[in-house]
Amino acid sequence: MRFQLLGPLALADGPDVVVLQPSKPVILLAALLLHANSTVSADYLQRAVWGEDQPATARAALQTCVLRLRRLFTKHGVTGTSIEAVPGGYRITAGPPTLDLLGFRDQVRRATALAGDPEAELYTLKDALSLWQGSLLANVRSDVLHRDEVPRLSEERLRAVERVCDLLLGLGRCGEALVDLWTATRVYPGHERFHEQLIEALYRSGRQSQALAEYRRVKGFLLDELGVDPSPSLRQLELSILRGEDLGAGGATGALESASASAPGPGSTSRVIQGAAVPLPAAAPGAGPVPAVPHFTGREAEAAAMAARLTAPPSPSGDGGRPLTVLVSGAPGIGKSALAQHVAHLVRDSFPAGRLLVRMTRADGRPRTADEVAAEVGAALGPARAGERALLVLDDVVDADQVRPLLTPQDRAVVVTSRMGLGGLIATHGGWVHRLTAFTEAESYALLLATLGTERVEAEPRAARQLTALCGHFPAALRILTARLLTRPGLRLGDAVDWLGDDPLARLTLTDSPDHSVSGLFDRALGRLDPRLSEAFLRIGAGPPELLGEADVADGPEGPEGRNDHPPVPEDVLEQLADAGLLEDGPPGPYRIHDLLRAHLRRTVRIRNRRTEKV
């Protein structure tokens, strides 16, 4: 059993994660875990649970709270960890394998010891950051802990993210650093070091005017909002850019050396004027450790089959030296990456040489070249050790040519996720295929239970099932919905049904992160299509069923000459759209479009028609 503190407080047993419901015992557990292996005074625990205005019976109530927490441990099968009453207070014992906070700090210490090897240090820090799972202590309702502890923990993470970006810049991987830095500077607008790194990355990527514009934006923010001037280092950076100085070798090396010499510890601070404890998404292209998937639900048969295939002993007859390949395909947002990452964690013991997640597309959706990826994978994995295998997760593959150069070594297995069917790859290299479709009703309901908590969902089971139906049992839609509901804990599920039903497409978006929306997901998928296919798909989605050649085509409307006004779309076009993950197998008919996607297509056509009418 593992305690997860770097996000909502949760208990994890292998792939199974239980997010604890807000309660006083949960506050007590958080306070003890934040100071694991140390005595926590009863006075501090009382303030954490009841605030500064404690009841007169707080000492006795604390003892009752400890008993309730011990019963909670028994309920969830927590063994090997106990709450000890010691002179002056209480203590809980944990180590890096049983508490993610200690695991994170242990990895950061390991990274600091690797300061002479930037690639190894970068890999170790990314592995440490993968332990962060969301907003810190979101389910722990303690003003004292959020005031005193959350900022300190957030600072530890910020220092690690800052160091990762320094390493990327030092290694010349400015494009990779940009993705994290755009997010970091917007979430933490007063953290000047992030702005320095972003401006440097832009300049070294050949975007001098954009780098100077970013400096002016930061300078305006600091003056208008906070009444301070940019730091001397920011001003010096602007001057270097105006002079056209080379920040490559000298600037990057200096950043690496200075950061190595002053590698921050858990209690370090930096010049942060304004910030918020908001997790940064790990969406940068590149190779790194496989992150865990919070609240993974469903796909039990697929996960078990994939794990069995990846860990099966090699065939005695051999297969020509090719690695084992498993392809996970399906529509955008259907959960391919989540399944692949979840399985990678299930089989981790079978791949001692490492598990590597490789993003195969850039932030703008452009595919990365096979040579670039092959070089990156080689540098990340290093030389193979006899008898040890590695696992690659090649995420969001665009075409087979991206993958083939990575399928040569015999000491690795490969999981490929792609919206495309990649039939040519399977034909030439073999492998297993798992094509994902929408969740079943039971899987959708289980996802709500896992994310929102049993108490909230089972209080309104009918409304919960209505919400899953409104989302079309589509994993991406369900994830966005549950994220919105978690930020509004007082909203009844029944009220959410009416709210979502008014306009599902508009409501299935995260207002503070517009890129996380169902409409945006579908728009990006359409943007990848050849324009001819995109136009055909819009016509299909906005048109009548017979365009798909469904069973009722013979009974469709007929024109004045007795011919159908809506002849089916040619089969080769339908096959290409199905191969791109945008059409699903019927019934009815040979193909169908998911209801959410059809609604999006119809709205897109209506908007385009209105714009045409205005012109």
Side-chain angles (χ1 to χ4, degrees):
M1 187 67 72
R2 180 180 177 87
F3 295 100
Q4 293 185 349
L5 198 62
L6 302 179
L9 183 54
L11 299 174
D13 185 7
D16 300 321
V17 179
V18 177
V19 176
L20 300 175
Q21 293 301 301
S23 66
K24 287 181 172 55
V26 168
I27 297 173
L28 174 63
L29 176 60
L32 290 169
L33 290 173
L34 286 165
H35 302 276
N37 305 316
S38 300
T39 298
V40 186
S41 71
D43 288 341
Y44 179 79
L45 293 174
Q46 289 166 205
R47 281 190 287 112
V49 175
W50 287 281
E52 302 298 343
D53 297 326
Q54 302 171 29
T57 58
R59 183 60 61 97
L62 178 62
Q63 295 173 354
T64 302
C65 206
V66 170
L67 292 175
R68 290 176 60 193
L69 183 54
R70 287 170 174 159
R71 286 198 294 267
L72 184 70
F73 280 14
T74 303
K75 174 184 175 182
H76 291 288
V78 177
T79 58
T81 301
S82 60
I83 302 166
E84 303 173 75
V86 295
Y90 294 89
R91 180 177 59 205
I92 193 170
T93 303
T98 56
L99 177 58
D100 58 359
L101 174 59
L102 298 181
F104 169 76
R105 289 172 175 167
D106 185 59
Q107 285 290 81
V108 170
R109 282 191 291 270
R110 290 172 185 265
T112 302
L114 295 168
D117 185 347
E119 287 283 4
E121 184 184 358
L122 177 63
Y123 184 92
T124 305
L125 277 177
K126 284 189 172 183
D127 198 25
L129 287 167
S130 71
L131 295 172
W132 291 73
Q133 300 295 321
S135 296
L136 277 171
L137 306 184
N139 55 338
V140 178
R141 296 173 181 171
S142 168
D143 293 339
V144 170
L145 295 184
H146 282 275
R147 182 194 67 201
D148 299 342
E149 303 291 347
V150 167
R152 177 173 60 82
L153 292 182
S154 298
E155 182 64 23
E156 290 187 48
R157 184 179 187 280
L158 287 179
R159 297 292 287 181
V161 173
E162 188 179 300
R163 178 61 178 156
V164 163
C165 294
D166 270 337
L167 288 165
L168 290 171
L169 291 173
L171 292 166
R173 290 154 62 174
C174 299
E176 188 174 338
L178 277 173
V179 179
D180 278 344
L181 288 169
W182 279 121
T183 304
T185 52
R186 272 51 183 173
V187 174
Y188 303 96
H191 193 108
E192 290 187 66
R193 180 58 188 146
F194 283 148
H195 291 291
E196 288 180 42
Q197 293 171 318
L198 174 61
I199 292 167
E200 179 183 342
L202 287 169
Y203 176 64
R204 289 173 57 194
S205 300
R207 296 151 71 173
Q208 181 181 14
S209 60
Q210 198 170 354
L212 290 170
E214 182 65 17
Y215 174 81
R216 289 192 295 271
R217 192 192 69 79
V218 175
K219 181 179 180 180
F221 168 80
L222 294 173
L223 288 172
D224 297 342
E225 299 295 327
L226 305 171
V228 298
D229 291 318
S231 64
S233 56
L234 258 177
R235 295 198 299 271
Q236 180 60 46
L237 180 58
E238 181 208 22
L239 185 60
S240 298
I241 293 173
L242 290 171
R243 290 172 174 170
E245 296 177 2
D246 182 8
L247 299 181
T253 303
L256 270 177
E257 289 175 352
S258 63
S260 298
S262 59
S268 303
T269 59
S270 60
R271 186 178 184 227
V272 182
I273 300 169
Q274 177 180 339
V278 179
L280 305 184
V290 182
V293 182
H295 309 306
F296 185 86
T297 306
R299 311 293 190 200
E300 292 182 3
E302 294 91 342
M306 286 175 62
R309 285 162 180 162
L310 289 169
T311 57
S315 170
S317 60
D319 59 356
R322 293 174 181 156
L324 173 66
T325 304
V326 176
L327 169 63
V328 184
S329 64
I334 206 68
K336 303 179 292 295
S337 300
L339 175 61
Q341 293 172 34
H342 174 66
V343 171
H345 276 267
L346 292 180
V347 301
R348 57 186 176 273
D349 293 340
S350 298
F351 296 94
R355 295 165 294 118
L356 206 60
L357 174 65
V358 187
R359 313 280 184 184
M360 301 298 287
T361 54
R362 305 181 190 280
D364 60 5
R366 291 182 297 119
R368 304 174 69 208
T369 66
D371 290 344
E372 174 189 1
V373 173
E376 192 172 77
V377 168
L381 289 179
R385 289 171 289 186
E388 292 191 355
R389 300 175 71 212
L391 174 65
L392 296 186
V393 178
L394 306 182
D395 191 42
D396 199 14
V397 169
V398 174
D399 57 50
D401 289 339
Q402 276 188 302
V403 180
R404 289 192 175 101
L406 300 170
L407 300 184
T408 49
Q410 302 178 39
D411 57 350
R412 66 175 62 150
V414 180
V415 176
V416 174
T417 77
S418 179
R419 299 174 186 178
M420 308 302 295
L422 301 184
L425 179 71
I426 299 301
T428 58
H429 285 70
W432 300 89
V433 179
H434 295 272
R435 187 173 178 93
L436 303 185
T437 58
F439 275 163
T440 64
E441 291 184 17
E443 287 175 324
S444 297
Y445 190 80
L447 176 60
L448 262 61
L449 287 171
T451 52
L452 301 180
T454 303
E455 182 178 348
R456 188 174 182 186
V457 173
E458 293 193 343
E460 301 178 80
R462 184 170 178 273
R465 296 189 188 281
Q466 288 176 303
L467 287 172
T468 63
L470 285 169
C471 290
H473 306 292
F474 199 72
L478 290 165
R479 289 288 182 186
I480 291 170
L481 170 69
T482 53
R484 294 207 65 172
L485 291 175
L486 282 170
T487 64
R488 301 177 66 181
L491 180 66
R492 293 181 60 257
L493 299 189
D495 296 332
V497 170
D498 297 332
W499 164 77
L500 180 61
D502 287 342
D503 190 349
L505 287 175
R507 302 282 161 75
L508 288 172
T509 183
L510 300 181
T511 54
D512 62 338
S513 182
D515 286 343
H516 290 84
S517 71
V518 170
S519 289
L521 178 71
F522 291 154
D523 278 335
R524 289 189 292 274
L526 290 174
R528 286 195 188 183
L529 289 178
D530 177 277
R532 181 180 65 93
L533 284 178
S534 180
E535 284 299 314
F537 193 49
L538 285 170
R539 184 165 68 92
I540 292 170
E546 50 264 31
L547 289 176
L548 282 173
E550 294 180 349
D552 60 354
V553 64
D555 301 323
E558 294 187 350
E561 299 179 5
R563 291 176 297 142
N564 197 310
D565 287 336
H566 303 285
V569 173
E571 184 176 352
D572 67 315
V573 173
L574 296 176
E575 277 293 304
Q576 291 179 69
L577 291 170
D579 192 57
L582 297 173
L583 290 181
E584 304 172 356
D585 294 336
Y591 306 102
R592 61 185 174 86
I593 302 176
H594 190 278
D595 290 342
L596 278 179
L597 181 52
R598 187 185 286 276
H600 174 74
L601 295 173
R602 287 176 172 168
R603 188 171 71 168
T604 300
V605 170
R606 285 197 302 271
I607 293 172
R608 188 170 66 175
N609 289 342
R610 283 200 297 270
R611 289 173 178 168
T612 304
E613 289 168 3
K614 289 180 182 178
V615 173

